[in-house]
Amino acid sequence: MEYGNQLNQYDLTATPEAVEKVLVRARELAPRNETADVYKLCYGCIDLTSLGCTDSDARIGAWVRKAMEFGRHFSGIPNVASICVYPNFVEVVGLAVGDGNMAITSVSGGFPSSQTFLEVKMLETAMAVENGADEIDIVISVGEFLSGEYDRMANEIEMLKNEVGPDTVLKVILETGELKSPELIRKASLLAMIAGADFIKTSTGKVAVSATPEAAVVMCEAIRDYHAKTGRKVGFKAAGGVRTASEAVLYYTIVETVLGKEWLTPFLFRIGASSLANDLLGAIEGHPVKYF
């Protein structure tokens, strides 16, 4: 498909001034959302993530078992939405999760740089799904996008979506910190959705600038406009550097402000995090918590 032409159906304008206007409103509203109920909802939208070079079968297995035992230690709090790992640990997570209802998320496609052969991306993705991944997080080819190769970038997403099939959630990471301008973030958001993304996600957490509220506003507005034109709901995921309950609530409030409360479910709103889980638990419990 000629994806570049598809962009002509949308207003591509996105200015820092317009973004700031929405963000000021969200910041004004955020304090009212600093409640136990919102903290709990945010906790239930976490993709609990471990993407470190020291990960091992033993470490990931023990970590996932702790996540599965969460309900024994904390009542009235929904468990995290998913466990997110490298593809070689998907089977380990599956054994630890067992028949639990927690989703298994795998990064794939040459994460975090997306710099490898398309055939390798497709094989890695297929193997992750075959081993039990319910959700796949890939990164756009940022270099191709910044070079204006919109068709090449988007066709790759389409091929990977076809690889995972309709029953597996595909989250597409834009790496917004490398895109620099609201207009580029808007274009990347729209291209990813047109190509088949089920979620669009801010960042890998592996570059200098990760998730920002400004990028979230642009992405949510793109989701809103795409939904208005197509009727298809695409989710939003903030990831990279989201560490505190207050930060999580701000992203919650941005989604609420731009997209409405119907987007505030684990099916359409996620936060990729590791240390955030403990901070949210502390906010809910009223004292510091270090469970993970």
Side-chain angles (χ1 to χ4, degrees), residues 42-269:
C42 288
Y43 188 88
C45 292
I46 287 177
D47 286 347
L48 191 64
T49 302
S50 186
L51 297 170
C53 65
T54 59
D55 290 347
S56 65
D57 286 359
R59 182 182 179 281
I60 293 296
W63 175 66
V64 177
R65 285 190 291 274
K66 192 160 191 178
M68 293 302 296
E69 295 168 359
F70 174 80
R72 290 168 47 192
H73 303 277
F74 300 92
S75 63
I77 304 173
N79 209 340
V80 295
S82 86
I83 295 287
C84 180
V85 294
Y86 279 113
N88 50 308
F89 296 117
V90 165
E91 192 170 7
V92 174
V93 176
L95 290 171
V97 169
D99 295 329
N101 59 5
M102 188 182 299
I104 302 171
T105 298
S106 173
V107 296
S108 187
F111 180 94
S113 66
S114 193
Q115 298 286 18
T116 189
F117 302 103
L118 177 58
E119 294 84 355
V120 173
K121 296 179 183 182
M122 293 176 70
L123 178 59
E124 182 181 49
T125 300
M127 290 177 69
V129 173
E130 184 178 348
N131 282 355
D134 304 297
E135 304 179 357
I136 295 290
D137 287 22
I138 63 167
V139 188
I140 67 168
S141 293
V142 177
E144 299 297 343
F145 174 75
L146 292 176
S147 298
E149 297 285 348
Y150 298 154
D151 292 349
R152 186 172 175 180
M153 173 272 237
N155 273 296
E156 183 174 283
I157 295 171
E158 180 186 357
M159 293 179 74
L160 290 171
K161 177 58 183 174
N162 290 337
E163 192 69 42
V164 304
D167 297 328
T168 302
V169 173
L170 182 68
K171 306 195 204 87
V172 177
I173 305 165
L174 307 182
E175 202 67 289
T176 53
E178 297 296 325
L179 302 187
K180 309 302 182 186
S181 75
E183 185 169 295
L184 286 174
I185 294 171
R186 181 169 173 81
K187 284 182 180 179
S189 299
L190 290 167
L191 284 168
M193 291 186 286
I194 295 167
D198 299 302
F199 270 76
I200 52 175
K201 173 180 170 183
T202 56
S203 322
T204 62
K206 304 294 186 181
V207 297
V209 178
S210 293
T212 65
E214 290 81 4
V217 169
V218 178
M219 292 168 68
C220 287
E221 289 185 334
I223 291 170
R224 177 198 63 200
D225 296 347
Y226 177 79
H227 174 254
K229 185 171 289 290
T230 66
R232 188 168 78 91
K233 289 183 176 179
V234 175
F236 167 75
K237 178 176 174 179
V242 186
R243 297 186 176 88
T244 69
S246 292
E247 289 169 342
V249 167
L250 179 57
Y251 286 108
Y252 170 102
T253 308
I254 289 169
V255 172
E256 179 186 37
T257 301
V258 178
L259 293 167
K261 285 187 177 292
E262 62 186 301
W263 252 263
L264 292 169
T265 76
F267 299 105
L268 292 168
F269 175 50

